[in-house]
Amino acid sequence: MKPVIVRNIRIGEGIPKICVPIVGRNREEILQEGENLLSVQADLAEWRVDFYQHSDSKERAVETAGLLRKVLGDIPLLFTFRSRGEGGEKEISWEYYRELNLAAASSGFVDLVDVEAFFHKIPARELIEELHRAGVKVIGSNHDFNKTPNQDEMIKRLKEIRELGADIPKIAVMPNSPGDVLTLLSATLKVAESGMDCPIITMSMGKDGMVSRISGGTFGSALTFGTVGKASAPGQIPVKELREMLEILKG
């Protein structure tokens, strides 16, 4: 497995990298969250654009991304519009989803773009190719906020996301029992041991799934999400505590 290199961060090497979501509603809140992120040991920042009140304007979104880039310095920036169907704040058409992500990628302000792999599978492959041509890396994602699919299905989805061309496949699921968390971790381990040539990101959400955000690296997950303030998904842990626990597990 080769790491994915983004600025000075090597995703897939060492302990899992910590990504902090930025979920401000307006530009002032977004930039303040970016400033707050500088005070903790975060490896990456994720701007959740679906929280932004002006996300319906590509021009405003790109301009805000440029200001956020200045605040973050050399911290890699992941650009994510999460659709309502996968747990996000807003509905979005595929046409505008494509235009918004390409505008962000072409701006030079963002380093990675999250693409929902099964939004429309064939256009997703085409969008990933376009984003690569624009010079960014792609996290291909899939989220289920209702349940945890069976192990074979999660393995299948991760492999399909890689086949679509994503640099890093990601899956996040909701457990309805502690056993569901074990199913997610087992699927992670099987994919990691299968010889896949790229890092993967997996997590089980909610209170029961919190352990997967801490121990996921043991099973093969290369990145986890921590908070500085408001979380973007249930079960996220404050960065300081998360970093300490990851270091303890490293030994």
Side-chain angles (χ1 to χ4, degrees), residues 9 31 39 50 63 70 77 80 85 140 155 164 166 181 186 200 251:
I9 299 298
L31 298 181
S39 65
D50 50 301
E63 185 179 356
K70 291 179 181 178
L77 178 58
T80 299
I155 291 171
L164 290 174
V181 183
S186 179
I200 61 172

Side-chain angles (χ1 to χ4, degrees), residues 100-217:
L100 178 63
N101 282 313
L102 285 174
S106 301
S107 71
F109 299 138
V110 308
D111 304 289
L112 306 102
V113 172
D114 180 294
V115 172
E116 292 178 3
F118 305 121
F119 194 136
H120 289 297
K121 190 182 293 188
I122 294 174
R125 182 189 300 275
E126 297 168 354
L127 175 56
I128 289 168
E129 291 173 353
E130 290 179 294
L131 291 168
H132 282 154
R133 287 195 291 271
V136 300
K137 299 292 195 307
V138 175
I139 294 177
S141 66
N142 177 237
H143 300 75
D144 191 327
F145 277 76
N146 296 312
K147 65 183 184 306
T148 297
N150 65 51
Q151 177 176 287
D152 289 344
E153 176 62 24
M154 287 190 283
I155 291 171
K156 176 174 172 284
R157 290 184 193 180
L158 287 166
K159 291 182 175 180
E160 283 184 2
I161 293 170
R162 178 56 173 164
E163 289 167 1
L164 290 174
D167 300 284
I168 306 174
K170 172 192 172 189
I171 190 167
V173 296
M174 184 64 72
N176 290 309
S177 70
D180 282 345
V181 183
L182 290 176
T183 301
L184 177 279
L185 292 173
S186 179
T188 304
L189 182 61
K190 286 188 177 297
V191 172
E193 291 181 339
S194 71
M196 186 174 282
D197 60 346
C198 66
I200 61 172
I201 301 170
T202 69
M203 64 206 65
S204 190
M205 296 182 284
K207 184 177 179 181
D208 283 345
M210 196 176 293
V211 65
S212 72
R213 297 182 182 275
I214 301 164
S215 63

Side-chain angles (χ1 to χ4, degrees), residues 30-54:
I30 291 163
L31 298 181
Q32 183 58 60
E33 288 184 31
E35 292 279 1
N36 295 343
L37 187 150
L38 299 177
S39 65
V40 299
Q41 291 179 295
D43 298 302
L44 301 93
E46 178 187 40
W47 180 25
R48 279 288 302 273
V49 189
D50 50 301
F51 280 86
Y52 181 36
Q53 62 186 3
H54 297 302

